[in-house]
Structure formats: structure tokens, C-alpha cells
Amino acid sequence: MRVLVVGQGAREHALAWKLRQSPLVKELYAAPGNAGIAGVADCVGIGVADIVELADFAEKLKMDLTVVGPELPLTLGIVDEFQKRGLLIFGPTRLAAELEGSKVFSKEFMRKYGIPTAEARACNSVDEAKSALKEFGYPSVLKVDGLAAGKGVVIVNTKSEADEYLRLVFEEKKFGNAANRILVEEFLVGEEVSFLVVTDGKKFVSLAPAKDYKKAFDGDLGPNTGGMGSHSPAVIMAGDAAAEIVKTIVMPTIQGMESEGRPYSGCLYAGVMLTEKGPKVLEYNCRFGDPETQVQMLRLEDDFADLCLKVARGNLGDTKLNWLKEAAACVVIAVDGYPDEYLKGQEVAIDPIDDPAVTLFHAGTVVRGGKVINVAGRVMSVCARAATLSDALAKVYQAAPKIRFEGARYRHDIGYRALQRKADSGTFRAAVPPVA
């Protein structure tokens, strides 16, 4: 089988890494790929937004399957373009991907189908937003309507914080057309978990729950990012939480999308807050998570290519997934300043890592003149698998300093809440270098 992966981040490196292990996959391509993906696939210089060119390439080489990583090509209609040409592709159509492409659409959808979520108001102006903030009080959550690479959500604790954000959105147009509308949303209290399923539009199978750490700095401080680390199992979920999420969120979402004439196929990601009143949806994503995918692929025992092929063909059937009982952890090495202004073009040095349990997934890297060069805010995902979460985190944090470039930084407390919950924080502290 000849397979194409669309994307260039650590998520796509993890997907390609797992696909390469399948006996079904004889040839693997990535567009555009990165320095790490080049080690497992042939990279071609086509951007993720160039959906016609991607379809031309897949048609010319007679791809048996294409797997899409990032949300942008999905919201642009890459699946529609491929299906029009009779090409198998894993992912939702443009109309189905609007679950992520528009926060306002997804909120209205959840209200219509009784899916538990925070109260919110859609606002088209500063005045409307300020009126909504008076209603919800502080803290409140502000979300731009469109895609913002995980950086369009902010929690405002004071009127001055809200005023500054609204100025950036409506006056400086920081997020462009993605923020022509915003949501002002009720602030939910609880623990957040990433719950993902793979569905063919009718049936679905759950992926191993994961915990993502979105804030830029230790202690869950600073702005939201695309993700600074993750682990699986999520640990923070009680035994019945997964069943409740499936019953109240996953099934109504899949059935509701079919009722809307937007049948959903691919990976459906629900960012869920576990509140005292039960799980509530924070947001939907229409693709695999980043960095959740990195830890999930490390734990998945089954043939990932076979899974994607079944979904793309619409015949998931009674597929069951098997997961290693080991834990997996991930810490993202980013550039100082991310997610705002940051350096690019630094050489990335990778010192030898002797531990075979450690896996590196490249994010913002390219090869120039025989050197690995950074081209994005997130540069590398350092991941490891071990018998316990404590051990997996220890391996990650021993390896993280071996990724060296100017301005390199990472969070030192990934997994801390999960380990505190397991009364294991002493082991965790011993395994993590002190914060400078």
C-alpha cells in the first residue's frame, strides 16, 4: 500500500512513525514533512493548504490512502477534493470539519443536540463582548471563532485583561478573519482531558484518553499554546468518566452531525472539562491532537494503517483497539517567546540518547546544509514509554536537555497533577530538574 501523510509537525511524525510499522505500508510519503519525518517517509514540498496540488500528487502516484494531520486542510476541503477524484482519505469533509473551524457553529450545535458544554454568547463587536462579560463576570473565557493554531483562547480574570484582548482582536486584528466573531464563555472549574475517537460516521472506537498541558509555563501559567506536553493514561479520569463522555458527548455528536447532513468520518477530538456536574465539552477538534498523538501512538498495539483504511472505506465495523499497559509521556521543547514572538533559524543539536524507551518526534525542523534547523515555535517532542507514568516522565526529563538550540525551553512540571493524584509527587520531584 502507498500512503501519504499531510502535515509537518510532531503529530505527523508520530503518525508516519506508526504507519511505517504496518506490514500493509510499502511506500510512505509526507507533504511537506520535516527533518524527522524524512527518516521514515519520502518528503515532498507541497504545503498543507495546497489541496489541489496535494490531490494531483496523490492521483499521479496512485495513493492507496492519505492521512491528514492538521486542521487547516480539512477545513479547506481536502477530503472533498480527494473524494471527488475517487481517492481514499482519512478525515472529515469541509462541512464536518466546521466543528473545529467555527467555535460559534460548534456551540450552537451542542445546544441543539443537548451536548453538555459551558454557557456562551457569540459576539460580533467589542460592545457585544463587554455586555456578555457583564453577564458572565470574571473569570470568563474568550474564544475567537475560527482557527488560531491553539492560541485563540484566553481566560480573562479582570476587566483590564478583557479590554486588552478585545483590543487585540477587534482593533489590531491579531487573528485576522478568524476573529470576526468571538465567544464569551462561562469559566468551567475542573480537570481537562482529551477524549478522542475514530469514527466512520456510524460506528466509532475510542483512543486511549490523554492529558494535554496547554499553558506555556510551569504551574499552568502564561498564554495558551498548541500544547507543551502530554501523557497517557490521563490518570485524572474516574472509572465511569469515559462511559459518561461516550454517552453524553461522543454518541450525540456523531448522530447529530449525521442529522445535520454533515456525516463525520475521521478522528473526532473532544476537549472535555471534568466538572462537579459531569463532563462538559470545552471545544471540538476535527483531527488527532498534538501532543496527544505522540503518546497515543506509543501505546497503540494495533495496525494503524489498517484502522485508517477501514475508516476511509466507511467500514470500521466492530473494530477494537488494544493498548499497551505501559504509560507514555511527552514534553515539548519550544523556543523562548512561543507562542508569541520567537527566534527561527537556530541550529538544533541532538546529543546521543542511550535509552531505547525514548522517542523523538520532530516538529518545527528542516534540514539545510546538512544541519537540522528550527523553523517554528515548537521544535521537538521528547517522548518515552515505561511501566509507570513516573518512570516515563523521568526518562523524558533525562532526555530533554539533550535537545539543544538557542532559546530552547520546556515545562518542568508535565504530569504533576496526575502524579499528585496518585500520591506519587515525591517520585516526580526527584525525577525532574529544578526549575531555574
Side-chain angles (χ1 to χ4, degrees):
M1 190 164 71
R2 187 175 288 163
V3 179
L4 171 65
V5 175
V6 176
Q8 60 196 31
R11 166 184 51 216
E12 288 75 35
H13 189 180
L15 294 175
W17 174 84
K18 190 64 178 177
L19 286 165
R20 175 52 78 189
Q21 296 172 23
S22 169
L24 298 174
V25 177
K26 303 305 180 186
E27 297 179 40
L28 185 61
Y29 296 83
N34 62 35
I37 294 174
V40 294
D42 292 321
C43 294
V44 294
I46 306 175
V48 299
D50 300 325
I51 60 175
V52 172
E53 192 175 350
L54 287 165
D56 289 343
F57 176 79
E59 192 170 40
K60 181 178 179 180
L61 269 71
K62 299 179 179 175
M63 292 294 168
D64 298 294
L65 175 68
T66 296
V67 179
V68 184
E71 62 274 17
L72 179 59
L74 294 168
T75 60
L76 291 175
I78 187 173
V79 171
D80 309 70
E81 181 66 29
F82 272 57
Q83 289 179 345
K84 183 174 68 177
R85 303 184 189 208
L87 297 167
L88 279 180
I89 184 168
F90 178 97
T93 62
R94 182 183 64 80
L95 285 177
E98 198 169 357
L99 269 183
E100 178 171 4
S102 171
K103 297 289 194 299
V104 173
F105 168 79
S106 66
K107 186 64 67 173
E108 291 172 348
F109 170 84
M110 285 184 275
R111 285 174 180 155
K112 181 176 181 178
Y113 291 96
I115 297 165
T117 187
E119 293 296 323
R121 276 179 55 187
C123 302
N124 298 296
S125 67
V126 172
D127 289 342
E128 288 183 11
K130 288 182 175 179
S131 175
L133 283 162
K134 287 181 181 178
E135 176 186 343
F136 288 111
Y138 297 95
S140 283
V141 183
L142 305 183
K143 299 179 177 179
V144 303
D145 180 41
L147 300 180
K151 302 159 197 168
V153 178
V154 66
I155 299 168
V156 291
N157 294 288
T158 64
K159 181 178 181 300
S160 61
E161 289 180 5
D163 288 346
E164 173 61 15
Y165 183 79
L166 294 175
R167 184 186 66 79
L168 290 173
V169 168
F170 287 108
E171 294 180 20
E172 293 195 7
K173 301 291 184 181
K174 178 178 180 180
F175 299 102
N177 292 332
N180 287 337
R181 295 184 296 180
I182 70 167
L183 278 181
V184 177
E185 192 170 277
E186 166 196 14
F187 177 77
L188 296 179
V189 177
E191 287 282 1
E192 185 176 349
V193 65
S194 302
F195 198 89
L196 294 84
V197 302
V198 169
T199 176
D200 62 4
K202 300 282 188 182
K203 296 191 175 184
F204 67 91
V205 61
S206 299
L207 301 185
K211 170 70 175 171
D212 176 27
Y213 292 78
K214 289 186 172 63
K215 293 295 185 179
F217 306 123
D218 291 348
D220 287 327
L221 300 176
N224 272 1
T225 70
M228 294 298 292
S230 63
H231 56 75
S232 179
V235 178
I236 59 173
M237 294 179 65
D240 58 350
E244 188 172 1
I245 291 171
V246 165
K247 179 182 178 181
T248 63
I249 295 171
V250 174
M251 292 177 63
T253 300
I254 294 172
Q255 293 165 0
M257 290 298 282
E258 185 176 24
S259 297
E260 291 291 305
R262 303 169 183 246
Y264 193 102
S265 175
C267 182
L268 175 65
Y269 171 144
V272 177
M273 185 68 82
L274 304 175
T275 76
E276 290 183 350
K277 296 181 179 180
K280 295 188 177 186
V281 178
L282 293 171
E283 65 177 3
Y284 289 112
N285 292 318
C286 61
R287 36 67 185 179
F288 293 102
D290 186 349
E292 295 95 337
T293 298
Q294 291 86 302
V295 292
Q296 289 169 330
M297 290 299 105
L298 283 174
R299 293 189 62 214
L300 180 63
E301 288 190 277
D302 300 285
D303 188 324
F304 183 61
D306 182 57
L307 173 66
C308 293
L309 199 59
K310 287 177 178 176
V311 170
R313 287 174 172 165
N315 63 352
L316 185 60
D318 296 322
T319 298
K320 305 293 182 186
L321 295 181
N322 298 291
W323 301 91
L324 293 172
K325 297 191 182 302
E326 293 174 299
C330 169
V331 169
V332 172
I333 313 296
V335 186
D336 192 33
Y338 173 77
D340 298 314
E341 296 296 322
Y342 53 84
L343 287 173
K344 294 181 182 179
Q346 314 95 300
E347 181 180 353
V348 180
I350 305 173
D351 294 337
I353 299 173
D354 298 327
D355 192 340
V358 173
T359 302
L360 301 182
F361 294 121
H362 287 236
T365 64
V366 296
V367 175
R368 291 177 185 161
K371 297 178 180 179
V372 177
I373 303 297
N374 169 51
V375 293
R378 291 189 295 175
V379 180
M380 193 81 65
S381 285
V382 181
C383 306
R385 196 175 64 212
T388 67
L389 182 55
S390 293
D391 290 342
L393 284 162
K395 291 176 179 292
V396 165
Y397 277 111
Q398 287 163 6
K402 297 184 179 182
I403 312 301
R404 298 183 292 105
F405 55 90
E406 183 182 357
R409 71 167 173 85
Y410 53 91
R411 280 185 57 165
H412 296 76
D413 62 348
I414 301 301
Y416 76 103
R417 284 188 179 175
L419 291 176
Q420 285 172 351
R421 185 170 288 251
K422 292 177 72 69
D424 197 17
S425 58
T427 303
F428 175 66
R429 283 195 297 267
V432 180
V435 180

